[in-house]
Every structure is written in structure tokens, then in C-alpha cells.
Amino acid sequence: MSEEANYALPQSDPESAPYWEGIQQGELRIQRCAACQRHVFYPRTLCPYCHSDQLAWVSASGRGTIYSYTVVHRAFGPFAAEAPFIIAIVELEEGVRLMTRLIDAPRERVRIGAAVQVSFEQVSGRPPLPFFRLAE
């Protein structure tokens, strides 16, 4: 990744603050519903499965598999100089999916179902962001 990239910082709000605090501590946090026991991502106030408001923050394993991906060949703004790069939807062991960037991943090794691990990366001195790498 280019160290010169000018990434816009994600904005924290009351619903997502525990997620971003976890990222700062090198921990991937997701929510789990106490009523139906399902994991939830993205951060929200009600469970999308049973509509309970009993969501608690838990540490995710940080391990998952590639559910889908694309190679970005044409990018704009701060990402233009970094193309080509890989954007993926990762399904965590806990069952939730999130969009992320794969880093240090040779394109010929990237495939649907490949194991990945979270990696917290600081870019240009900004706060870390959760990216993923192919698992060893």
C-alpha cells in the first residue's frame, strides 16, 4: 500500500464507537444478540434477526474466508496510484460479512474460500484500519 494515500477517516458515532475503539486496540469487535445469539455486523442498535435491543460487543476471531472479491484496476482520488488492488467481502468465522481490502496478496493466490486473517494497518500515520491478509 502506498504510504502517501490520503484516506478519509471513518467517522465514529455512538453505535460504532466500541468497534473503532477495538480497532485502536488491535481487536476486531462485532456485536452479538443476547436474545437470539446471532452475531451482527455492521454496528446498529437493534438485532436485524429478532429486533431485540440486547446487543453486546464481543471480540471476533479475526479469521474468515473470502466470500467474494474484485480486482480494482481503475481507481480515483487517493486510491488511484494504488491500482490494481483487491477489495473483498470476508465472511468471518462468526458468520458476519464485511467489506475490506486484501493486502500483500498475490492475485494468483486469491480465490473464493481462501482463508484470511485480519491485520490492523496504519497508513500515513493515521489511525489503524482493519485489512485482511491471506492466512499462512
Side-chain angles (χ1 to χ4, degrees):
M1 274 187 310
S2 167
E3 287 297 316
E4 287 78 34
N6 185 18
Y7 293 98
L9 291 175
Q11 297 298 309
S12 178
D13 59 29
E15 291 173 0
S16 66
Y19 172 80
W20 293 112
E21 290 164 7
I23 298 302
Q24 293 296 315
Q25 298 169 12
E27 177 184 12
L28 185 59
R29 294 179 185 166
I30 58 176
Q31 293 172 299
R32 183 171 182 172
C33 178
C36 70
Q37 303 303 309
R38 294 185 73 172
H39 289 95
V40 175
F41 188 83
Y42 59 88
R44 56 190 94 190
T45 57
L46 295 175
C47 174
Y49 304 105
C50 73
H51 308 291
S52 169
D53 65 353
Q54 301 301 308
L55 293 170
W57 289 94
V58 298
S59 295
S61 67
R63 294 183 301 273
T65 56
I66 297 173
Y67 177 79
S68 183
Y69 72 95
T70 189
V71 178
V72 177
H73 293 279
R74 296 180 70 184
F76 57 91
F79 303 102
E82 297 183 29
F85 56 87
I86 301 169
I87 299 294
I89 296 177
V90 168
E91 184 169 325
L92 296 178
E93 288 180 341
E94 292 81 5
V96 299
R97 296 180 186 149
L98 57 108
M99 186 178 291
T100 187
R101 179 132 169 217
L102 291 183
I103 56 173
D104 300 330
R107 285 183 278 170
E108 62 275 2
R109 290 192 49 222
V110 175
R111 60 179 171 70
I112 292 174
V116 292
Q117 176 70 43
V118 71
S119 179
F120 301 100
E121 302 292 326
Q122 254 187 316
V123 179
S124 299
R126 293 176 182 249
L129 293 173
F131 295 108
F132 279 75
R133 298 176 186 274
L134 292 173
E136 298 295 321

